[in-house]
Amino acid sequence: MARKKQDGTKDLSGANQSSEKLLIIMEYLAVQAEPVRLLDIAKGTGMNTSTASRFLAALETRGYIAQDKSSGRYYLTYKICCLANKVSSRIDIRQISLPYLKALSQTLSCTSNLVVEYDLSVMYLDVVTGPQQMLVPLRYIGSVAPMHCTGAGKLLLTQFTDERLIELVELRGLKSYTENTITTLNGLKTELASISEHGYAFDNEECEIGTRCVAAPIRDYTNKIVAVLSINGTTAKLTDEYIDENLHYLLDTAGQISAQLGYESV
């Protein structure tokens, strides 16, 4: 039971510390390659053996860890995976991302987009318009665009195998929309290698002359790019200087959404 402070309110510090210790033990066991002794768990988590043993017993009672009967060593069970699957089945990436899109559009005065892969194309799950909306050709929610000439599409393509890239070319082609569109497989591969190195992608008037896009990856707990956050605006707005000064806003925002999906950056 939580203690009461002198002013009558509950002091939850003890409960908070206990919860944190439980999580510390689970996180420690999650990165171990094999079952671990009690002494090593205590040392690895900075707890004494009696404290570690008490929390291990609680986790074992709830089925989150088990103890090898022959060696006495502890390991995580798959119950935590069951929880993760239940959470992931209920996650609405659009709902999670919308506040971030709104804040990004306000900060950068650009249109922000949430984009996912759809049938060897990209689909816009959400679009939050900025003050330049009358000056820029806009995508709308549910619209589909090519992968090879959009910043979001090219980011998603970085995860494609050579076989899937060939399939993309055979089924969708590499249509030229402007003089800047990449229209060869070798050219696309070179572009994707550069994007993988930098961690973000551009559409430099590859779809529409006079418009530019910058895209950043949204990753989940498996490190997979499951969606892309992008901003677009006129080339007069999204100059190299402007992007250099403000790119961190886009990357930080994509990182925050990724963290909501369980991604842990290295």
Side-chain angles (χ1 to χ4, degrees), residues 154-171:
K154 288 186 287 185
L155 258 177
L156 290 164
L157 286 177
T158 61
Q159 300 184 127
F160 275 34
T161 62
D162 286 345
E163 290 76 15
R164 285 205 74 198
L165 284 176
I166 293 172
E167 180 185 6
L168 172 75
V169 174
E170 291 177 345
L171 295 178

Side-chain angles (χ1 to χ4, degrees), residues 17-34 36 40-41 44-47 55-56 59 64-65 74-77 80 259 262-264:
Q17 290 176 9
S18 295
S19 300
E20 185 177 8
K21 287 176 181 177
L22 280 170
L23 293 172
I24 288 172
I25 289 176
M26 294 179 74
E27 291 173 353
Y28 175 79
L29 290 174
V31 297
Q32 305 307 310
E34 55 187 21
V36 190
D40 293 326
I41 294 171
T45 59
M47 303 178 197
F55 287 116
L56 287 167
L59 289 168
Y64 288 101
I65 68 167
Y74 294 91
Y75 58 92
L76 277 178
T77 68
I80 191 69
Y263 172 68
E264 293 186 358

Side-chain angles (χ1 to χ4, degrees), residues 55 146 173 183 185 211 213:
F55 287 116
T183 58
L185 181 58
T211 66
C213 166

Side-chain angles (χ1 to χ4, degrees), residues 5-173:
K5 295 188 281 188
Q6 291 183 350
D7 61 4
T9 60
K10 290 183 179 180
D11 181 2
L12 298 178
S13 58
N16 289 341
Q17 290 176 9
S18 295
S19 300
E20 185 177 8
K21 287 176 181 177
L22 280 170
L23 293 172
I24 288 172
I25 289 176
M26 294 179 74
E27 291 173 353
Y28 175 79
L29 290 174
V31 297
Q32 305 307 310
E34 55 187 21
V36 190
R37 298 182 308 165
L38 171 60
L39 286 174
D40 293 326
I41 294 171
K43 182 179 179 181
T45 59
M47 303 178 197
N48 59 50
T49 54
S50 62
T51 298
S53 179
R54 186 170 72 252
F55 287 116
L56 287 167
L59 289 168
E60 187 173 11
T61 298
R62 297 298 300 173
Y64 288 101
I65 68 167
Q67 186 179 25
D68 184 275
K69 301 305 180 184
S70 59
S71 67
R73 297 170 183 250
Y74 294 91
Y75 58 92
L76 277 178
T77 68
Y78 281 97
K79 185 173 182 179
I80 191 69
C81 298
C82 179
L83 281 183
N85 286 333
K86 288 179 180 179
V87 171
S88 63
S89 68
R90 291 170 172 79
I91 285 178
D92 183 342
I93 191 171
R94 186 180 176 202
Q95 182 178 7
I96 290 172
S97 302
L98 183 56
Y100 295 98
L101 266 69
K102 289 179 177 178
L104 190 64
S105 285
Q106 177 118 19
T107 299
L108 299 184
S109 299
C110 294
T111 297
S112 60
N113 313 283
L114 177 67
V115 188
V116 295
E117 180 190 348
Y118 173 75
D119 193 24
L120 293 178
S121 301
V122 291
M123 176 182 287
Y124 288 73
L125 282 188
D126 219 337
V127 178
V128 177
T129 56
Q132 291 185 324
Q133 57 184 330
M134 301 304 296
L135 303 176
V136 183
L138 293 175
R139 301 291 180 183
Y140 55 86
I141 296 172
S143 64
V144 176
M147 299 189 78
H148 70 287
C149 56
T150 55
K154 288 186 287 185
L155 258 177
L156 290 164
L157 286 177
T158 61
Q159 300 184 127
F160 275 34
T161 62
D162 286 345
E163 290 76 15
R164 285 205 74 198
L165 284 176
I166 293 172
E167 180 185 6
L168 172 75
V169 174
E170 291 177 345
L171 295 178
R172 293 286 180 265

